[in-house]
Structures are given as structure tokens and as C-alpha cells.
Amino acid sequence: MKLSKALSPLEDLRLAIGFGLIPTVKAVLRNPTLLFRPVMLSRVFMKQIWTPFGEGIDKSSRADKVKIMQHAYGKVLDIGAGHGHAVNYLEKARASAYIAVEPNELMHAEIRTRANAAGYTEAKGTLTILSCGAEEVEKILQAVDHVDTVISILTICSIPKPRENLTGLIRQVLKPGGQVLYYEHVQSPLSDVAWWQALWSPIWAVWFDGCRMDRPTHIWMKEMVDVDAHGKEVGMWKEQEMWGKEGEEMEHLFWHQSGRFVKHDEV
Ligand SMILES: C[S@@+](CC[C@H](N)C(=O)[O-])C[C@H]1O[C@@H](n2cnc3c(N)ncnc32)[C@H](O)[C@@H]1O
């Protein structure tokens, strides 16, 4: 891998620190207990950087988002909703409700503003914003019951035990015949790129709220299994389709994959 590409996260880190450091230091001066709450501190920083980064990424991934989101229908659960950019891609006539799972409450005002502008409101019961993580399946079930579509845009890189958490969520919250739509950066199939991803991941995760570059999400999705009524493992999907980002070189630390996976009918 070319050294210039291998070191490209340095520029993103420089930008992130430029956007996030001073507001985060100010937040610590206002509330010094943040120093003893690393999760909260990381969320304060993430909130600051996601304003410029989220906008930029939304623009650069518009075509990829359109391609997956055109399939969204019914009750749509957006895991790691961030600032709610995904709601802008929903077709109101097909997507009856938007449910944003976002543990960082500092992001909720942005989600609400975007969702309301797109016609989804809490007053009408078409918008729900949950403060829990995607791994808190019971809380999600209690709040919204089952859903037709689960979307994940650049989030599986950040959830704590991604394979286990995602499987639990899809087994329990997604209706039979429902679908998962995702757009994620994943572990590269090129061993030298994967080596650099593994090297960068622990550093990157500190500044980007746990985000890791080295997760083979697309492979986990393909291999996901459910358990039938007799306790036997069965494949999760009755249909699956995966594709890459148009024009993206293979030699890329943020190598993207998208997918549409349709869950089996009742087992
Ligand atoms: C890189 S951002 C992507 C945001 C949004 N999906 C987008 O595309 O603009 C990752 C998001 O995942 C959220 N997140 C972190 N841990 C999570 C978890 N355990 N469950 C759900 N979301 C989580 C973060 O707070 C952050 O908003």
C-alpha cells in the first residue's frame, strides 16, 4: 500500500482535533466531572466533529445512500442515527415511521430537526428517538416492537460487540421477511491494507467514538444465522445482495460495502 494512502487518516485526525478540541476543552472547564466519564467525553467530542464530518460524508456518499434507502419501507429503525441524515432519503409514502437509535443524546436535537423537516414527528407517532445502543434489544422492543427495515450507515464500526449485537437485534427486532440495508466501511480483503487498518483502529477509535476500521461487517452479514423453534441453526437470509462503492479503489483504508439482506420468513 502506498505510504501516502496508509497515512491518510493523519489529515482526518488533524481536522477532527481542529474542530473538536477547543469546544471539548470548554465543555470540560464548564463541567470537570467529564474528565472522569470517558464515554461522555468522547460523545461531547463526537458531537462537535459530526457537524462538519457528517455533512461532508453525507455529500460524498449520497449515491450510495440513495441506492440502499430506495428499498426502505414500513417502520424503519436507523441504528446509530448520528444527526439523522438518513431520514432525508426515506420515501414518506413507503416509510411509515422513522425510529432513530442514538446513544449520544447530544445528537438528538439534530435528528429531531431533520426528521420533522422530512415530515416525521413524535406528536404524530411517526418519529421515535431512543437513547440506547443497538445492543439494548429489550429496550428497543419495548419502545417500538418489531420493525420492517433496519438501516445501518457507518455505525457497525462503532457498536461494542458488533457480530453478537447485530445478530441479536436482527433475530429479535426485525420482522420475518423484513430487510437490513447497510452502507459501511469494512476490513479490506487486501492483506497490506488490512494490516494498516488494524494498526490505525485503536488510535482512530479514541477520537471517533469507538469507530474501528478493521471490522469484516460484510462477511458477518453474509454468515449470520438464526435459531429455529427446535434450537437448530438456520441461515438468516432468504435474499442477499452486496456491492461496493462506485469508483472506489480497492487500496483504501475506508473501503465501503453496501448490502440489502432480506430475512427468512417465520422459522
Ligand atoms: C460514524 S457515526 C454515523 C452516523 C449516521 N449513521 C450517519 O451516517 O451520519 C456513528 C454513530 O453511531 C453511534 N453509536 C455509537 N455506539 C453505538 C451503539 N452501541 N449503538 C448504536 N449507535 C451507536 C454514534 O453515536 C454515532 O452517532
Side-chain angles (χ1 to χ4, degrees):
M1 175 172 208
K2 281 196 197 121
L3 197 60
S4 58
K5 290 204 169 151
L7 298 181
S8 61
L10 282 174
E11 176 58 9
D12 291 323
L13 283 175
R14 188 188 69 76
L15 287 172
I17 292 169
F19 288 128
L21 193 62
I22 290 177
T24 306
V25 169
K26 284 185 180 162
V28 170
L29 292 175
R30 279 194 304 274
N31 180 3
T33 67
L34 279 172
L35 287 175
F36 306 101
R37 294 185 291 149
V39 171
M40 198 55 215
L41 190 61
S42 171
R43 287 179 180 171
V44 168
F45 186 80
M46 186 69 179
K47 160 67 193 148
Q48 294 302 329
I49 64 171
W50 204 245
T51 300
F53 273 72
E55 285 298 320
I57 290 171
D58 187 52
K59 281 201 185 81
S60 63
S61 56
R62 194 151 286 162
D64 304 280
K65 290 186 180 180
V66 168
K67 204 165 166 189
I68 58 165
M69 295 296 289
Q70 64 179 328
H71 299 286
Y73 70 89
K75 282 166 76 175
V76 178
L77 183 85
D78 182 8
I79 61 169
H83 282 174
H85 286 98
V87 77
N88 289 329
Y89 297 82
L90 292 178
E91 208 183 301
K92 191 79 194 356
R94 274 165 56 80
S96 54
Y98 176 64
I99 301 146
V101 171
E102 178 47 69
N104 188 345
E105 292 186 357
L106 302 171
M107 308 264 205
H108 286 192
E110 294 266 1
I111 297 175
R112 190 167 287 112
T113 303
R114 279 203 174 76
N116 289 173
Y120 296 91
T121 66
E122 282 140 322
K124 281 191 250 157
T126 53
L127 168 68
T128 307
I129 304 177
L130 301 176
S131 305
C132 59
E135 64 281 11
E136 294 176 83
V137 170
E138 285 307 321
K139 280 193 189 159
I140 299 174
L141 273 175
Q142 267 175 22
V144 298
D145 197 26
H146 296 91
V147 302
D148 303 283
T149 303
V150 171
I151 61 176
S152 177
I153 298 179
L154 306 173
T155 291
I156 298 170
C157 49
S158 303
I159 64 177
K161 293 183 188 161
R163 198 171 193 178
E164 193 182 315
N165 296 155
L166 208 56
T167 304
L169 182 80
I170 292 164
R171 279 185 185 172
Q172 295 183 64
V173 178
L174 186 64
K175 287 180 190 168
Q179 57 176 349
V180 179
L181 308 171
Y182 73 85
Y183 170 69
E184 296 284 340
H185 58 81
V186 303
Q187 187 183 54
S188 173
L190 304 178
S191 57
D192 56 340
V193 179
W195 187 88
W196 280 100
Q197 287 176 317
L199 184 85
W200 273 113
S201 277
I203 305 163
W204 191 257
V206 169
W207 295 97
F208 288 85
D209 199 23
C211 167
R212 297 195 60 100
M213 298 178 191
D214 58 352
R215 292 184 166 173
T217 303
H218 56 313
I219 296 173
W220 294 337
M221 284 296 294
K222 259 171 87 93
E223 293 176 349
M224 194 175 283
V225 289
D226 203 352
V227 180
D228 71 11
H230 310 287
K232 193 171 145 256
E233 282 194 347
V234 290
M236 184 68 86
W237 313 114
K238 68 174 179 184
E239 278 174 48
Q240 52 174 283
E241 200 188 344
M242 282 200 301
W243 59 91
K245 187 176 178 76
E246 211 177 310
E248 186 170 77
E249 290 174 29
M250 283 288 281
E251 198 180 74
H252 203 305
L253 286 175
F254 291 93
W255 187 63
H256 293 89
Q257 289 285 288
S258 296
R260 176 173 178 260
F261 283 64
V262 182
K263 191 175 172 180
H264 59 71
D265 296 315
E266 210 74 65
V267 286

